[in-house]
Amino acid sequence: MDSKIVKKERILWMDILNIVATLGVILLHCSNGPVHNWDGIFNMSYIFGMFTHTIVLWPVCIFLMLSGCNLIDYNNSHGGGWKSFYIRRFRRIGVPFLAWSLFYAVIFIITHLDEPLRWQEYITMFINGKFNGHMWFFVSLFAFYLTIPFLSVFFKHAPNGTIKWLVYFSFLFNSLLPFIFGLFGIDYFNGTVYYGGNIFPLGTNLLIYGCMGYILIKTKVFTNTRLYYRLAILSAILHFTGMIIVMNVINGSERAFNYTSPTCFFMSIAVFLWFKNQDWHIIISRLHLTPELFHKLSSCSFGIYLLHGFVLSFIRHFGFGLDNRYFGFLIIYVITLVCILIMKRMSVIRDIVP
């Protein structure tokens, strides 16, 4: 993509939100260990993990929302056709995924020489991004990108009423009902021999977030911002208390409160709208900062997401103590940012940190 197009597409609030979401991802990975590996001890580490799992669960959803509002009308705003779109997405996402999956696969194999797997297991882990647990997100991202040309046609011609029903059904069948049934350990339409997917595949899993990013920015559907703020506050309270109850009272799993849960859904939308509605140019000018700085930092976010898992594991393996659950995410971010800035200057590997 040439520099003129990149410059034209830069939107300050999106850059800032992208940076904050990246920081949020690292904060989660530094602090949620006591939540995912709860040992039954009710202490400050556990409480803080619960808190971050509530307040900053939305970054992955935000990444998809930003992609949705920027890419669903790609053919109209960029031209070049959808073939060009797929080629660009593969270069930006597919190539880095393959390269980093190979990188993490080599590390995994070296560190598990005494625990060899069957070749089918290696392939399964590779194509699902499981050599680095943080790369699972790419599978959902690929699924969303593949559907974008078809979503573009839908949103271009669908009336507001039809768009609303898409959101209503997606929320009901892919968020609310799975959440309710999950709290009671009931398997909700999780696929059978005859049917391999969700009961409502449109908007399934994280696809709805990409759609919502477009809907909230490009259409006049769902414009009551204050309602989303109120729902987000209520969701945060229910999310935190709900996890405490599920894990301590009914001996359940925090997995019920995942990215598709109603609480995360409303918090993600509220965060997205709040960043959009601030006058960031005035805010950063008062801090004597420039939009170019945030453009630069935002352009490193994808690379930081890919590399921070290695940096975090390296620090933990050698016991450097820089992954402090309260402020370690800032240190990890800076270290990874410096690495990405250096890698972007290296012609041999800069394509894998676009």
Side-chain angles (χ1 to χ4, degrees):
M1 188 177 293
D2 62 65
S3 58
K4 290 183 179 180
I5 293 178
V6 171
K7 185 175 181 180
K8 182 179 179 180
E9 289 183 342
R10 306 309 303 201
I11 299 176
L12 182 57
W13 73 266
M14 291 185 181
D15 282 327
I16 294 176
L17 179 54
N18 196 24
I19 296 167
V20 174
T22 303
L23 283 165
V25 166
I26 302 176
L27 174 58
L28 276 179
H29 294 160
C30 285
S31 63
N32 64 6
V35 177
H36 294 313
N37 305 292
W38 188 51
D39 55 7
I41 301 176
F42 199 82
N43 53 24
M44 184 55 66
S45 297
Y46 172 74
I47 292 296
F48 185 73
M50 285 289 200
F51 177 76
T52 59
H53 198 281
T54 297
I55 300 302
V56 288
L57 188 60
W58 43 262
V60 164
C61 308
I62 290 296
F63 291 144
L64 278 167
M65 294 178 76
L66 289 172
S67 294
C69 64
N70 284 319
L71 296 177
I72 286 181
D73 63 351
Y74 174 92
N75 203 38
N76 296 325
S77 58
H78 292 73
W82 291 112
K83 179 181 177 180
S84 173
F85 168 80
Y86 281 132
I87 292 174
R88 290 178 183 275
R89 289 303 98 192
F90 177 76
R91 289 174 177 172
R92 179 168 174 78
I93 303 297
V95 171
F97 174 80
L98 293 174
W100 285 97
S101 291
L102 181 60
F103 171 74
Y104 284 113
V106 171
I107 293 177
F108 179 89
I109 292 172
I110 293 175
T111 55
H112 292 78
L113 290 176
D114 57 338
E115 304 173 18
L117 303 177
R118 294 182 298 112
W119 67 269
Q120 295 95 331
E121 293 177 290
Y122 285 116
I123 295 178
T124 297
M125 293 182 68
F126 186 89
I127 64 177
N128 288 284
K130 290 188 176 181
F131 284 114
N132 171 10
H134 304 154
M135 291 181 66
W136 66 267
F137 168 59
F138 280 81
V139 178
S140 295
L141 197 60
F142 291 148
F144 177 57
Y145 285 164
L146 286 172
T147 63
I148 281 180
F150 312 102
L151 290 172
S152 177
V153 175
F154 170 78
F155 284 118
K156 182 178 180 180
H157 298 286
N160 288 347
T162 304
I163 294 175
K164 286 183 178 180
W165 279 109
L166 170 67
V167 176
Y168 293 155
F169 279 148
S170 296
F171 177 74
L172 176 64
F173 293 114
N174 299 317
S175 180
L176 183 60
L177 291 180
F179 173 74
I180 294 174
F181 281 101
L183 290 177
F184 298 97
I186 299 174
D187 194 11
Y188 169 79
F189 293 110
N190 196 30
T192 68
V193 174
Y194 303 103
Y195 184 74
N198 196 290
I199 190 72
F200 184 70
L202 290 176
T204 188
N205 294 331
L206 300 181
L207 183 63
I208 187 59
Y209 286 109
C211 294
M212 287 303 299
Y214 179 87
I215 291 169
L216 293 171
I217 299 299
K218 305 290 187 176
T219 74
K220 297 185 180 300
V221 180
F222 305 119
T223 58
N224 192 340
T225 301
R226 290 186 178 181
L227 173 62
Y228 286 117
Y229 291 162
R230 296 188 184 102
L231 288 173
I233 294 172
L234 177 61
S235 294
I237 296 172
L238 292 176
H239 193 103
F240 183 82
T241 56
M243 283 199 302
I244 296 291
I245 294 172
V246 166
M247 295 184 66
N248 292 276
V249 178
I250 63 177
N251 196 29
S253 170
E254 90 285 351
R255 299 293 182 183
F257 296 86
N258 56 23
Y259 297 112
T260 60
S261 68
T263 52
C264 185
F265 179 79
F266 290 120
M267 284 189 284
S268 300
I269 291 176
V271 169
F272 184 82
L273 290 175
W274 187 85
F275 274 85
K276 172 186 176 295
N277 292 331
Q278 306 309 306
D279 193 335
W280 291 105
H281 287 278
I282 293 179
I283 294 173
I284 67 171
S285 65
R286 290 175 179 173
L287 298 173
H288 304 289
L289 300 174
T290 64
E292 289 71 25
L293 172 63
F294 294 97
H295 299 340
K296 185 73 171 180
L297 294 176
S298 179
S299 69
C300 295
S301 294
F302 182 40
I304 291 173
Y305 186 94
L306 288 165
L307 183 61
H308 84 277
F310 173 77
V311 174
L312 189 56
S313 297
F314 183 87
I315 288 174
R316 286 173 173 171
H317 178 75
F318 289 98
F320 293 142
L322 299 178
D323 61 328
N324 181 282
R325 64 179 56 89
Y326 303 112
F327 57 81
F329 72 102
L330 295 172
I331 299 175
I332 303 298
Y333 179 85
V334 172
I335 293 174
T336 312
L337 172 64
V338 172
C339 292
I340 295 301
L341 289 172
I342 294 173
M343 293 173 71
K344 280 180 173 288
R345 292 180 174 273
M346 302 170 67
S347 58
V348 178
I349 60 175
R350 64 187 177 193
D351 287 342
I352 68 172
V353 287

